[in-house]
Each structure stands twice: as C-alpha cells, then as structure tokens.
Amino acid sequence: MSSVQPYVPNKDFIYRAADALADSHLQQALAKAGRGFVDKRSAAVTRVPNFEAMRDRARAVRQKALQDLDIYLLHFEKKVTEAGGQVHWAETPAQMREIVLQLCARHSATRVTKGKSMVGEEVYLNEALEKAGITPFETDLGEYILQLAKEPPSHIVAPALHKTRAQIQDLFLHHHALGERDLSAVEAIVDEARQVIRDRFLRADIGITGANLLIAETGTVAIATNEGNGDLTATLPRAHIVTTTIDRVVPTWEDASAILRVLARSATGQQTTTYTSFFTGARGDTDKDGPEAFHVVLLDNRRSQLLGSEYQEMLHCIRCGACMNHCPVYQAVGGHTYDSVYPGPMGAVLTPLLRHRDGDYQLPNASTFCGRCESVCPVKIPLPDLMRKLRNREQQEARFKGAGYWITKVFCALAASPRLYRALTSIGTKLAAALGARRGRFSKLPLLGGWTAHRDFPAPQGGSFQSQWRRNGKAQPPVGACPAGD
Amino acid sequence: MNTALPGTPLHVGLFATCPVDLLRPSVGFATAKLLEQAGCRVSVPPQSCCGQVAFNNGDPDATRKLAWRIVKDFEPFDYIVLPSGSCSGMIRLHYPALFRDDPRFDRVNRFCSKVYELTTFLAEVIDYRPAAPNCNLAQRNITYHDSCAGLRELNIRDQPRQLLKQCAGVDVTEMRDTEACCGFGGTFCVKFPAVSNRMVADKVDNARDAGADLLLGGDLSCLLNIAGKIQRQQNESPQLSKVQVRHVAEVLAGDLDAPAIGEGAEAQIPHE
C-alpha cells in the first residue's frame, strides 16, 4: 500500500497509558464497568445450550457475506431503491461528510438528531455538521454525555464508559439550567437526559443513525439499541440518514438473526437488546408514520483493500466490544489511550489498517497476546494473529530498526547454533548467578530497565540446564544448580 | 499414542525452553525426574530457542529457521516434552502455520503432534501416577496461575491441578481472575512497563487476597514476572504477607531444595 506513511517511532501510547494509569476517576470507572461486562457475558453464554455452535454459525455468515460482498451490496442497493430509499457510496471519510451535508441541504435541515454511530465518529461527522451551521444532537445517553464533555468515545458499545457517575452528575448540573436538584441516583440522571433530549426528537429535521446490519434480501437496516433513541431518531424527522460501512451487509434475514443471537450476548450479556429495529425504505403511501426520505451512506475507507488480504477476517467484526471488555490492557488504560474510535484488540488491528497514521503501529504492539480477545470473539477473529501480522508489516516498512530488532536478530543468529549457544550461555549464566547469588535477584539490570523499574529480576541459578545435564550425564538432583547450595 | 515397541521405554526429548535453561535449571531436572519416574528414557540434545521471540516480534523468516532446526534435532524421539505451555503452543500451533506453504509441511506437522507440555503429557498421554507422593505440601496454601498460552491454546487447566492432588496432596486455592494475563507478554513487559506493572500488581493482589503463600504455574517467564513483583513489593513494604513462587514441576517432583524463584541463599526459610 503506497499510501502508508513512513513509520516514525512514536511513544504516544506509552505516555497516554501513563496518564490513564494515574487518573483515579478513570480507574474507578474502568474497574466498575470491566467486571460487569465479563460476568454478564459469561452468564449469558452459559444460559444457552451451545454458544460455540452459535459462534461458528455467525462466523460462517460473515465469511459468506464477504465472499460475495459486491453482489450483496448491489442487491442491497436495488432493494433500498425499490423501497423508496437511496444508497450513496463514499470511498473516503471526506466523501461521506460531503454526502451527508448535501442531504442536509436538500432537506433544508438545521437540526439533526443522532443515534450512536461509530462510523459517524470515524469520519468526524459532528464537526462537519457544526461547521456547516447544523446542530447535531446526540440522543444516545453515552454519546450525549460525551457531547457535553467534548470528548470522543472510549468504548464502541458504552461510549462514556470512562466517566464516573459523579462526573456525569457534574456535567448535567453545569450544562442543564434546571435549578437546584438531586442527581445522585442513576435514575435521576437518566430521567433528566430523557427530559432534555425528548424535545429535540420532536424538533429535528433529520435523524442520523448507524447500522448494526444491512440485510441485502430486503434492503433493510437493522439497529440494536437499549434506549429506544434509535427508533425516535429514525422515525420522527422528515428524513433518516444511515451512516454505515460496506462490511455491515449480510445476505438474508436468517443470516441477520445468526449475528443478532451472538451480538447482545457478547456485548452486554443480554439475550437480545431492548430494541432491535428494522428500517426498510421511506414512508410508503399506506404507512401512518416514518420518514419521507431514507438514505443509506456506505463508507469504504480502505475496508475494500482488506478483502482478499491476510487481514480480511477483521471485516468479520460485528462491533460487540467483547474483545476490549476482556482485554487486560484495555482494562488497565481505557479506550482513549488507543487514540482511535476503535480501541482495544479490534481497534489495535483496525486502526493501523484504516488510518495509516504515524504511531498506529504502537497499537498491535501493546498486547501480551494473552488470547482472551480471540476466545470471546463471537465471530472468532484471530486477533492476536492479525496483530502479529501487523508487527511483521511494521518490521518490513521500518526504515530504521530499533534496538529490540537487533537484539532479537543477534539472539536468533546465536540460537541457530545450539552448541555455540550452549557454550556461551553456560558462561553467561554462571557470571550472572555469581553477581546475584546473595539476594537471588537484581533490582537494576542493563537493557531491562522497563522490567526493573517496577519489579526485581530473579537471578539465574547458575550454569545452564543443558551444560549441567551434559556434565552429569543423566537426570540427577541439581547439585550445584543453585548458588545457595554451593 | 504409544509409538515405542512393547517393552521399550518411551524415549522423550526434553526441550527445557530458554528461561528454564538459562535461569532455573532445577525446573529442567525436576521435569526429567518426573519423566523418568513415569518410565520414560530422557535425552537432552543441544537446544536453544523455539523461535517465539522472533515470531511475536514480526520476523517469520528467522522463526522458520529456528523451528526447522528444532524439528530436525528432536524428531527422532517418541515424544518431545516441554515444561512450558507457551513454547509448546508455539510449536504445536504455530509451526504448522509457519510451514503451511512449504514442502516441509508434512514433516513439521508430524513432528508437532509429538510435542507436549509437561503436565498434559503426564496426565493425558502416559497417565502418570507415582507410587508415593514426592512431597506433601498439604499445610501450604497454594494458588495456581494459568498462563495464557497454555490455558487458551492448549486447554491446560485441570492437568496441573489433578497432578498436584495426586503427587503432592495439594488442593489448589483458586484466586480471582485466574484467567487473566500476568502482564509478562514477552517483550511487552519491557516495551510497556507501566501497563505490564499494573497487570502483574493485580495478579499479585489476587494471589494475596486468596491467602496464598505459594504460587505455582507452568511457565517460568510468567513466574519470573510475578516473583519479581512480589519481591519488589516485599522489599518496599516488608509487612506484606510472604508469597513464594515456584514452577509446578519442582513441586510435583518434590525438588524443593533450590530457593524459590527470586530468593537468594539469605532468604531461605524453613517451610518444606
């Protein structure tokens, strides 16, 4: 890919992670949310007889959809048009913004309500609308909180996961001129949000939502929500615009249900979300309500480049967030540390592939490959494998190789000759053991400053296993193996 | 699975892994002792690294080179046994993928099916049951860290617990989040030290909360990380409860003479 910028070593992730670890509000919010997600998913998957089979089925649906993506997309467009709607194709974020602004102009819109759309976040839609004099009102509670706080989402399912209740309470007291009141209970916060947002639904010219699935069979857009704001955003205004991407399409309703069966269970531990809404076209002659115009804007933004590549499986993603909910790195540092709409393991793969920004290669490196993400992914994306491939690509593209690269190279060259390796390491371990024998550990070591900043490094027992084995001839108690016994 | 002729002991190639070879040979000797008790003949051919470091740092070519060397050096054995879930997973799962489009694939694949992590080999392949326990640690409060690769790539969970019960009379006291990573992650721990530290600190907290005085695991690298954190904490706050760290092979074999991981001669306390 020629558009890839030269890689410049960038330690932004590390600095942001340090800030995140020191942020007590964030840590409080993460601790509360993290365990809830994990426990709820675990309970949900054990309540069904064979969740593994459901995962396999969902994966098969995603494979089938991507196999003939062009056919399903064109069929989707045909069906949307037949239902009185219109499909628009956007290759880049700029094109998507432009199309949405043109549609707003066509419908003389000045007020827009928005359901949660990660694609809207991906293309910075709110900023573009505001610049054009159009007021976007977020109607998803999490997105609304972030609009007040002027912050990006930190989680794809729970965008304001990083906020504590106290912080949300302060935001509401500051931004809503509603006099003295008690917002200490969650219910009070939700009631107030409902009260403030309801009026906006009624006054909006256009409603913009995302999509969880596009069903080619009938040209239907499916949205899974828990607040019902998606329905009000889609049906009350004069026009409904769906901002989504080409990889959301599935062939049939049967396929859609296979995805929906694993989506909520993986995301929030629900059997199904409170609302699962299906929108097909504009209001028909016999319909009592619904929008007069129905537009679906399909963004590519380099996703088509992943088709047929070694990263194609990333397009299986159904955006449930289970990978980040189970990621020990995400749990420690939160979503903003990833500096992308898409955080956690799925973001660590997707962000470098879609964005090509300096420093994005930090993301696939910020993983221990513990594999928990892959083990909970409802469509079995091999996330650690994909991160490993990105690390490989980083090495191939790097103009300047870092110290770690050369250390690995020298080590591998040595390891390729086991006898030489055995001779050298035998001497090396004896030396290191002699230095660390008394305490049994080192509190400082050259090249291992990252380790010894926070931990001691256990000293070698002295002499390598192989060299002792060779001397002893066979398995014997490790005489002389530990300095304590000398 | 027994490929040896009747009456001849299985010939096992012991692949110690870099951390055991370089830092804690006592784990290698304990592994050999267990295999011999189980009736195997044990050999330790010259060896180095399984290639995981290169593999995870984006160098598949260097990895293939090391992998092929190991295949050739170890394929004469009936079985190849490693005291590590991480390196066993590297070989069993990732070697075949590395040679997928290579004419050597069939030979690599055949080799990989003979490679086992120690506790899986003892519990599932040869059904190891010692005549008498090698030690008795019933009075210790023991918890177990399930290292990620072993747990998720090789389904190692029940095997060490079952063996600890049979060989050391020990019931494991489970700590919270036993499925969570300890934060080692190969070069991750030095590339992202603050995040890694947070993860290992959580792990140690969970072990202490479970009341453990001995933490065991099947992968030395994770154990070095956990022991290093415990010792740094104890150095800074001596009032903290003492938690020792050992590889499960040492306990199964009853080889407890060597000080626990990261403890020096001065720290030997009478406990066993």
Side-chain angles (χ1 to χ4, degrees), chain A residues 91-105:
Chain A
E91 194 182 340
T92 64
Q95 283 173 13
M96 178 174 251
R97 291 192 296 264
E98 187 56 36
I99 291 166
V100 173
L101 289 179
Q102 279 170 6
L103 291 172
C104 287

Side-chain angles (χ1 to χ4, degrees), chain B residues 140-157:
Chain B
R140 300 288 301 266
N141 192 336
I142 294 179
T143 197
Y144 200 88
H145 170 57
D146 293 300
S147 290
C148 299
L151 177 68
R152 278 177 277 267
E153 292 187 338
L154 302 173
N155 293 316
I156 301 168
R157 189 189 174 92

